[in-house]
Amino acid sequence: MPAVDKLLLEEALQDSPQTRSLLSVFEEDAGTLTDYTNQLLQAMQRVYGAQNEMCLATQQLSKQLLAYEKQNFALGKGDEEVISTLHYFSKVVDELNVLHTELAKQLADTMVLPIIQFREKDLTEVSTLKDLFGLASNEHDLSMAKYSRLPKKKENEKVKTDVVKEVVAARRKQHLSSLQYYCALNALQYRKRVAMMEPMIGFAHGQINFFKKGAEMFSQNMNSFLSSVADMVQSIQVELEAEAEKMRVSQQELVSVDESVYTPDSDVAAPPINRNLIQKAGYLNLRSKTGLVTTTWERLYFFTQGGNLMCQPRGAVAGGLIQDLDNCSVMAVDCEDRRYCFQITTPNGKSGIILQAESRKENEEWISAINNISRQIYLTDNPEAVAIKLNQTALRAVTPITGFGKKQESSCPSQNLRNLELENDKIVPKAAARVPDADELIAPGTPIQFDIVLPATEFLDQNRGSRRINPFGETEDETFPEAEDSLLQQMFIVRFLGSMAVKTDNTTEVIYEAMRQVLAARAIHNIFRTTESHLLVTSQTLRLIDPQTQVTRANFELTSITQFAAHQENKRLVGFVVRTPESTGGEALSTYVFESNSEGEKICYAINLGKEIIEVQKDPEALAQLMLSIPLTTDGKYVLLNDQPDDNDGSPSENRGAESEA
């Protein structure tokens, strides 16, 4: 080791400027050493603190590894192998925690403690001796100044003696303190080297001991375990890469699809619609009332489950029941100027909920699915096949179709009912007439009109007290004064189903064929919306009246009605053929089909009775005979026969005399 600079003790008494200059160098070195020692101690304390933190961290890590098993993971299936591996790692971490705790103790004893002792003992001693040396030097300077002021002429021996003694004591004190100070500074040059290396020796020994014990503890058992864990991680990584590649390819395929998948109504004209659904799911807008006249629409996720319509808000764990679909009805509706709305009605006829789909395809598929579910198809063994069969025979799913042969065997009882009853014994059986083909009755491709009955709110002016002008040519009841004087006034509740042009009015088969085509078109296109109206039969006209505004939607002269009949199996269906003149000089034939709340036979009987009244009014005697044969009300109007109760109006008390509503 190279020689160490030191202060000469022999020069302490002389206290020359050269000695003082060398002393200042040693003092500067001691100050620098003090600052560095403080910084080094902070670094070593940080290492010791980190080691203590490692002990606490490994202890916490071990607990967290064991806590994995207790976590209630929603997708924790197949984690048994991971749990067992983490248990073993927890045991390893506990053993490592013991080693970390021992290393922290060794660092405290062999690294931090020596540097603290060096700072508190050696550096503090040098600082204290420096202060004492400074005090002694000041006292010596003061005594020498006092000694120098002694007079030359009159010397006071006693005073001189006292001053000399004071100088001697001060010089001795300075000499002694300087010797101690010089010795401490000289020794510090050796002690600082020891103080710098001794803590690092303790640190190195502690680390070596830690790693050595760790190697001895884990080298035998950990190799095979770590190898198996590495293999497991590698296999998981391979699976992850394969799955990531699949997802990447799938993502590219999904992104590269046509832009129409993002468009709500990509094919408005003719979207591909599946009408055989027995379950359906997707987002719909639900209409809710927030006040007397205010409503809100909320976008929610709906799905069918068995015979129930369920709703699940976004973020909810499960869905809730919204509507029981068994035996309910569904139809498209117009609501608040929104498109693709439909309404679900309960079996008892009460209006249910109103929903809005995002496209025409979704709207019609929801209507088809709910319609299929309402028939309880889902309870069958093969609901998909049943749904396909029912939609293939859509007409039979709505109402039975009577064969032409069967219709021909039993002639229509609606027309000329009273004549048939009076002349029943005179009827001579005739050979069955040829059943006309459908093309002979109705031209193929004839358009069907479904909206002859417009919503009443379009014609209702609630803000005007005076009578308004109807731009559509519709009239109110006051424009028909003959209604008050008519001998016959019968009111029926009906729903317009459709009308179409026909070729002939020579047979009632044209009415049956029109019924078949209208109902088939409604079933195929899922047109379930109908508007309720009042059908008023008088002795002169047949009028269709809006029940809310009493506006007459349509008016037919009885003389223009050439055929009328009720369906032979579905008693509520009724139709009639109207002959109207054209501007070209010819005549047009149109068939109108209705569904009544009562039996269609009653409507046919009322029409037949009105036509008979028109005929007998030309002969007063025949009119009197007819009035005697039919019961009248107190005001002289005819009463319809009501020998069979209505399906929806079974209470006799609800039949109101001459104006019984079916």
Side-chain angles (χ1 to χ4, degrees), residues 335-475:
C335 187
E336 299 181 7
D337 197 24
R338 284 178 174 248
R339 300 182 301 167
Y340 313 130
C341 295
F342 60 93
Q343 176 176 308
I344 302 175
T345 305
T346 58
N348 58 10
K350 293 183 179 179
S351 298
I353 59 175
I354 297 178
L355 302 169
Q356 180 191 23
E358 67 177 21
S359 65
R360 175 187 171 189
K361 176 179 181 296
E362 286 292 307
N363 183 44
E364 297 196 16
E365 286 189 352
W366 270 106
I367 292 177
S368 299
I370 294 174
N371 188 36
N372 292 335
I373 294 173
S374 67
R375 303 173 187 173
Q376 300 182 349
I377 298 177
Y378 63 92
L379 298 177
T380 60
D381 295 334
N382 192 354
E384 291 82 1
V386 175
I388 294 174
K389 183 177 179 181
L390 287 177
N391 281 282
Q392 287 176 347
T393 57
L395 177 59
R396 298 183 184 274
V398 178
T399 180
I401 302 176
T402 304
F404 285 150
K406 183 175 181 180
K407 297 174 187 175
Q408 195 66 29
E409 291 174 1
S410 57
S411 59
C412 176
S414 305
Q415 193 167 358
N416 300 325
L417 180 60
R418 294 187 68 255
N419 294 336
L420 290 176
E421 290 176 352
L422 296 174
E423 301 177 3
N424 188 35
D425 296 334
K426 300 180 181 180
I427 295 177
V428 178
K430 298 180 180 179
R434 184 184 69 86
V435 178
D437 295 333
D439 294 347
E440 298 177 7
L441 301 174
I442 301 175
T446 300
I448 301 175
Q449 182 179 357
F450 297 107
D451 55 353
I452 188 175
V453 183
L454 300 178
T457 54
E458 295 182 9
F459 304 94
L460 181 61
D461 190 353
Q462 298 178 351
N463 298 324
R464 297 184 180 178
S466 60
R467 182 177 178 181
R468 62 181 177 82
I469 299 175
N470 193 337
F472 297 96
E474 297 173 339
T475 57

Side-chain angles (χ1 to χ4, degrees), residues 14-41:
Q14 187 178 0
D15 195 18
S16 62
Q18 292 80 7
T19 303
R20 283 286 183 144
S21 177
L22 183 60
L23 177 62
S24 65
V25 175
F26 274 79
E27 289 178 345
E28 182 181 358
D29 183 79
T32 303
L33 179 61
T34 301
D35 295 338
Y36 174 77
T37 302
N38 290 332
Q39 296 175 4
L40 180 63
L41 179 60

